[in-house]
């Protein structure tokens, strides 16, 4: 992905709906022109407010001013349903400023999925979204967290599905870009081989970037030696680029025993060959001296804590009798576990 020159867009909404826009399409280091425009040139609607900015692929800092004359509650998503800001309440006459960093690429969601629209897409949603101002500036040197994974991690295109990687940006704000290359249906072999997946991710790794690798759900017939070899290849290539690989064991399946535990092969990802994939990843992390996030153990603890009934809300049980894929609620909880584990590594 090529990083382009300087682009600056600022919007300052008035009660009349007018904005000032200061776009720059010049090379880095050059000045920018100014123009007066109506808000509708960038943003439309009221619930949700949808904004589209014609920006080149790259990393951008976004600053938003939320609030207005009446009380509001605003959630911000970007590109393919990535949650950038959790629901933010504002009182009547109150405004608050929030900031976050967005990875803009094409395709904008799953790398092998629909391309989406070029540029930056933002949605201001909720029962009463209030957008008072928007500022976007390029941030090409921002530290990155890059994600390699499957459907439990990816930017899911449609409700009610959500991968935990889709919810991770809300926990980091400005100064960290989450670049999600996870893709539905992928195992270690396909993710490594497809040019749109690991090779594309690797091309974006810069020194110091973290690369989180969670691949296991679809390694249903993968021998232990092949599984370890492919994870080793990914780890070594990330290190060669100066990145910092992190192995992440998979989220548990919601498959309870009669005693209310998840101590069974289905829940804990023992594959069809009898290979305990999380155990293989744990031992490989120790062998390679790579940080490990044991999301299997962390999610097991949380799901068992909630129990067979309440834990349905973390998955898509009620909607589709699906005990593998997560709802927005579940993806958000599991993303928070990843966030906490990353903080402990620093």
């Amino acid at each position: 992905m090529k990083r382009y020159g300087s682009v600056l867009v600022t919007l300052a909404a008035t009660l009349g709906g007018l904005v000032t826009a200061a776009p720059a399409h010049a090379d880095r280091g050059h000045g920018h022109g100014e123009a007066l425009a109506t808000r509708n040139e960038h943003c439309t609607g009221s619930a949700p407010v949808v904004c589209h900015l014609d920006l080149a692929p790259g990393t951008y800092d976004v600053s938003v001013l939320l609030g207005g004359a009446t009380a509001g509650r605003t959630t911000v998503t970007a590109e393919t349903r990535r949650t950038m800001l959790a629901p933010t309440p504002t009182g009547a006459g109150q405004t608050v400023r929030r900031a976050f960093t967005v990875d803009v690429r094409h395709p904008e969601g799953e790398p092998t999925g629909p391309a989406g629209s070029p540029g930056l897409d933002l949605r201001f949603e909720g029962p009463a979204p209030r957008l008072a101002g928007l500022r976007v500036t390029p941030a090409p040197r921002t530290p990155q967290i890059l994600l390699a994974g499957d459907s439990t991690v990816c930017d899911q295109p449609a409700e009610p599905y959500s991968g935990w990687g889709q919810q991770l940006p809300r926990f980091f704000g400005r100064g960290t870009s989450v670049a999600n290359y996870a893709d539905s249906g992928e195992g270690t072999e396909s993710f490594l081989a497809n040019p749109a997946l690991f090779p594309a991710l690797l091309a974006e790794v810069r020194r110091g970037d973290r690369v989180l690798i969670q691949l296991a759900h679809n390694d249903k017939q993968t021998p232990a030696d092949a599984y370890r070899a492919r994870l080793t290849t990914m780890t070594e290539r990330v290190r060669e680029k100066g990145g910092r690989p992190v192995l992440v064991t998979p989220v548990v399946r919601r498959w309870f025993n009669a005693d209310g535990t998840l101590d069974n092969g289905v829940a804990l990802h023992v594959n069809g060959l009898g290979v305990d994939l999380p155990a293989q990843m744990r031992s490989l992390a120790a062998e390679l001296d790579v940080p490990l996030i044991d999301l299997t153990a962390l999610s097991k603890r949380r799901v068992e804590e909630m129990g067979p009934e309440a834990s349905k809300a973390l998955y898509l049980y009620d909607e589709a009798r699906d005990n593998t894929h997560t709802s927005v609620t579940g993806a958000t909880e599991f993303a928070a576990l990843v966030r906490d584990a990353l903080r402990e590594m620093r």
Side-chain angles (χ1 to χ4, degrees):
M1 183 189 301
K2 182 179 179 182
R3 303 299 181 187
Y4 288 79
S6 179
V7 179
L8 172 65
V9 178
T10 59
L11 305 180
T14 69
L15 293 179
L18 294 178
V19 302
T20 55
H25 301 289
D27 292 333
R28 182 176 290 113
H30 290 198
H32 59 266
E34 295 185 355
L36 182 66
T38 64
R39 176 176 174 173
N40 287 342
E41 290 188 27
H42 297 284
C43 303
T44 59
S46 57
V49 179
V50 180
C51 301
H52 175 78
L53 302 173
D54 186 18
L55 302 176
T59 305
Y60 294 88
D61 285 338
V62 179
S63 175
V64 296
L65 188 66
L66 304 177
T70 58
R73 185 175 178 84
T74 309
T75 300
V76 184
T77 62
E79 301 292 84
T80 303
R81 301 180 59 236
R82 294 179 220 153
T83 303
M84 309 308 298
L85 281 183
T88 303
T90 49
Q94 177 193 17
T95 58
V96 297
R97 189 171 296 280
R98 299 288 186 267
F100 51 85
T101 301
V102 181
D103 172 58
V104 176
R105 66 177 186 276
H106 195 69
E108 66 181 19
E110 293 183 82
T112 66
S117 58
L120 173 60
D121 293 295
L122 297 169
R123 289 173 65 90
F124 297 81
E125 303 175 285
R130 300 287 183 264
L131 173 62
L134 171 65
R135 178 184 175 89
V136 181
T137 56
R141 297 179 183 84
T142 299
Q144 300 179 105
I145 299 173
L146 300 101
L147 307 180
D150 51 40
S151 57
T152 64
V153 185
C154 75
D155 290 347
Q156 290 280 359
E159 296 179 353
Y161 291 84
S162 179
W164 62 255
Q166 201 164 17
Q167 302 301 322
L168 197 61
R170 70 192 289 167
F171 295 112
F172 285 94
R174 183 175 179 176
T176 299
S177 170
V178 177
N180 193 354
Y181 285 83
D183 196 71
S184 295
E186 308 298 343
T188 51
E189 182 176 26
S190 61
F191 197 90
L192 190 58
N194 190 326
L197 300 175
F198 186 74
L201 177 156
L202 189 64
E204 293 304 307
V205 174
R206 299 190 297 267
R207 183 165 297 280
D209 288 343
R210 289 199 185 274
V211 179
L212 277 54
I213 304 169
Q214 186 217 270
L215 290 161
H217 278 84
N218 300 303
D219 282 275
K220 297 174 183 177
Q221 296 295 324
T222 303
D225 57 350
Y227 185 67
R228 295 172 71 94
R230 293 167 192 157
L231 291 175
T232 298
T233 296
M234 293 183 205
T235 297
E236 290 176 345
R237 291 185 182 174
V238 168
R239 281 176 161 170
E240 288 168 3
K241 290 289 298 287
R244 297 185 290 170
V246 179
L247 296 180
V248 183
T249 62
V251 171
V252 291
R253 296 188 180 96
R254 185 191 158 277
W255 197 268
F256 280 94
N257 299 323
D259 64 359
T261 69
L262 299 174
D263 295 322
N264 61 77
V266 174
L268 300 181
H269 301 282
V270 177
N271 74 10
L273 299 180
V275 179
D276 185 330
L277 297 171
Q280 291 295 326
M281 189 178 282
R282 292 179 192 113
S283 71
L284 183 64
E287 178 183 313
L288 299 177
D289 192 23
V290 175
L292 175 81
I293 297 176
D294 198 343
L295 193 54
T296 303
L298 293 169
S299 59
K300 176 179 183 290
R301 183 185 310 154
R302 179 58 178 147
V303 173
E304 288 181 340
E305 183 180 80
M306 293 182 70
E309 189 59 35
S311 64
K312 291 177 180 178
L314 302 178
Y315 294 83
L316 297 174
Y317 180 86
D318 290 334
E319 298 86 349
R321 295 299 186 268
D322 187 336
N323 292 305
T324 297
H325 297 96
T326 49
S327 63
V328 170
T329 297
T332 302
E333 288 218 19
F334 297 146
L337 295 175
V338 173
R339 180 272 317 269
D340 292 345
L342 286 171
R343 284 181 174 174
E344 291 176 2
M345 292 178 191
R346 294 176 181 175

